[in-house]
Amino acid sequence: MSIHTLPKATFARTVLGSGSGSGPGLALAHGAGSSVAGTYGPILEGLAARHTVVGVDYPGSGDSPRSTTPLSLDDLADQLVAGAVTEGLDTFALSGYSLGGPVAIRAAARHPERVTALVLTATFPYRDNHLALALPIWRKLAESGNREVLAEYLTMMALGADALEAMPAEQLQQAIGFTAASVADGTPEHAELALRADVRDDLPHIKAPTLVISTTQDRFTSTRLHHQLADTIPGARLVEIHTGHLPMVERPKEWQKLITTFLAQHSA
């Protein structure tokens, strides 16, 4: 059993699916600079068709107020679990995308008795030298208030080469505009936490069946980091999806199927 006491659930939550506690639970941990809707929006209904889905928005995302202090990975992990438990889920699978990967891993390590399965997409166990360069740029652009320049940077970095080069100029500008409009206010704090996040010591102790989804054209988190996760978590399985950092944009149906197929094999 976990020795960690859950806090009161205070983060804003998205709840969808078959009803509180009546279907297999699935808790969602979103990416930096985004929200539950921003990360999982295109596949939320598909996930909720088979699961009771609970997602929490980090401070500065969705309806969660922005934090005035640096974020803590333990706090985000505990709030993720507390949100699911508050919605009636005693046990549940976890899905973590990008920064949500370390959040989900830490949640599984701190509360192993509640976690039935773990799905990690486009994520990392720690910041390598590439992230050590990319994340401060992201944070500085977010702090500058110039959303258009930030959106240009994120569009360049987040889309896979195939998707980016297939876009006509007009569509590319539309993508930049959409990104600029959807940047979370708490992005600087999210990027700063991603720079500090390190869950390498947690990996050998993960007991839940784990799927690592490697985004093969990812410019943010490298396939090297994806393989490190799969190689270190006991019994983890790795599959590939041919996208950049945004499978929800480039191949949402394929991403959803990878998640739901794995969870169907490991439903509580």
Side-chain angles (χ1 to χ4, degrees), residues 190-213:
H190 300 176
E192 191 275 333
L193 175 61
L195 198 61
R196 289 186 284 110
D198 189 336
V199 293
R200 284 176 288 183
D201 288 345
D202 295 328
L203 302 182
H205 307 292
I206 299 299
K207 301 183 183 302
T210 300
L211 178 69
V212 178
I213 302 176

Side-chain angles (χ1 to χ4, degrees), residues 43 95-98 118-124 210-216 218 221-223 225-227 229-230 237-244 247 254-260 262:
I43 67 169
S95 174
Y97 163 82
S98 195
L118 186 60
V119 179
L120 306 169
T121 303
T123 189
F124 58 98
T210 300
L211 178 69
V212 178
I213 302 176
S214 176
T215 37
T216 60
D218 204 321
T221 64
S222 71
T223 56
L225 293 176
H226 308 158
H227 279 266
L229 286 167
R237 175 188 170 200
L238 183 138
V239 296
E240 295 181 340
I241 185 169
H242 193 62
T243 73
E254 183 179 343
W255 186 36
Q256 177 188 313
K257 185 175 181 180
L258 288 173
I259 296 172
T260 56
F262 180 77

Side-chain angles (χ1 to χ4, degrees), residues 11-16 26-30 36 53-57 80:
F11 290 4
R13 295 189 295 280
T14 296
V15 183
L16 293 171
L26 174 59
L28 307 179
H30 67 77
V36 174
V53 175
V54 179
V56 299
D57 288 321
L80 176 64

Side-chain angles (χ1 to χ4, degrees), residues 138 141-142 146-155 179 183 187:
W138 187 3
L141 288 173
N146 191 329
R147 286 183 170 241
E148 183 175 357
V149 173
L150 173 60
E152 290 171 348
Y153 171 74
L154 291 176
T155 302
T179 300
V183 171
T187 295

Side-chain angles (χ1 to χ4, degrees), residues 16-268:
L16 293 171
S18 52
S20 179
S22 64
L26 174 59
L28 307 179
H30 67 77
S34 186
S35 62
V36 174
T39 293
Y40 289 98
I43 67 169
L44 268 177
E45 289 191 5
L47 296 178
R50 301 185 182 185
H51 299 85
T52 301
V53 175
V54 179
V56 299
D57 288 321
Y58 311 150
S61 291
D63 291 329
S64 293
R66 188 172 179 180
S67 177
T68 58
T69 59
L71 300 179
S72 159
L73 193 62
D74 286 354
D75 289 346
L76 267 58
D78 286 353
Q79 281 290 331
L80 176 64
V81 174
V85 171
T86 298
E87 296 299 335
L89 301 176
D90 290 329
T91 61
F92 40 85
L94 294 175
S95 174
Y97 163 82
S98 195
L99 176 61
V103 173
I105 290 166
R106 182 59 53 83
R110 287 173 65 83
H111 307 280
E113 78 286 358
R114 295 194 179 276
V115 180
T116 59
L118 186 60
V119 179
L120 306 169
T121 303
T123 189
F124 58 98
Y126 73 108
R127 64 112 182 97
D128 59 4
N129 285 339
H130 178 79
L131 279 171
L133 295 170
L135 288 168
I137 295 173
W138 187 3
R139 181 184 180 187
K140 290 172 185 175
L141 288 173
E143 290 174 335
S144 75
N146 191 329
R147 286 183 170 241
E148 183 175 357
V149 173
L150 173 60
E152 290 171 348
Y153 171 74
L154 291 176
T155 302
M156 174 190 69
M157 290 288 290
L159 284 173
D162 291 345
L164 184 62
E165 296 308 321
M167 282 188 175
E170 182 179 352
Q171 186 180 1
L172 180 58
Q173 289 305 310
Q174 290 174 346
I176 292 169
F178 176 81
T179 300
S182 60
V183 171
D185 291 341
T187 295
E189 294 86 69
H190 300 176
E192 191 275 333
L193 175 61
L195 198 61
R196 289 186 284 110
D198 189 336
V199 293
R200 284 176 288 183
D201 288 345
D202 295 328
L203 302 182
H205 307 292
I206 299 299
K207 301 183 183 302
T210 300
L211 178 69
V212 178
I213 302 176
S214 176
T215 37
T216 60
Q217 293 191 348
D218 204 321
R219 292 188 178 98
F220 266 119
T221 64
S222 71
T223 56
R224 175 179 169 274
L225 293 176
H226 308 158
H227 279 266
Q228 184 174 348
L229 286 167
D231 291 344
T232 310
I233 297 173
R237 175 188 170 200
L238 183 138
V239 296
E240 295 181 340
I241 185 169
H242 193 62
T243 73
H245 196 63
L246 302 176
M248 73 291 294
V249 172
E250 297 180 44
R251 293 178 183 263
K253 292 182 179 179
E254 183 179 343
W255 186 36
Q256 177 188 313
K257 185 175 181 180
L258 288 173
I259 296 172
T260 56
T261 299
F262 180 77
L263 294 182
Q265 299 166 356
H266 301 283
S267 295

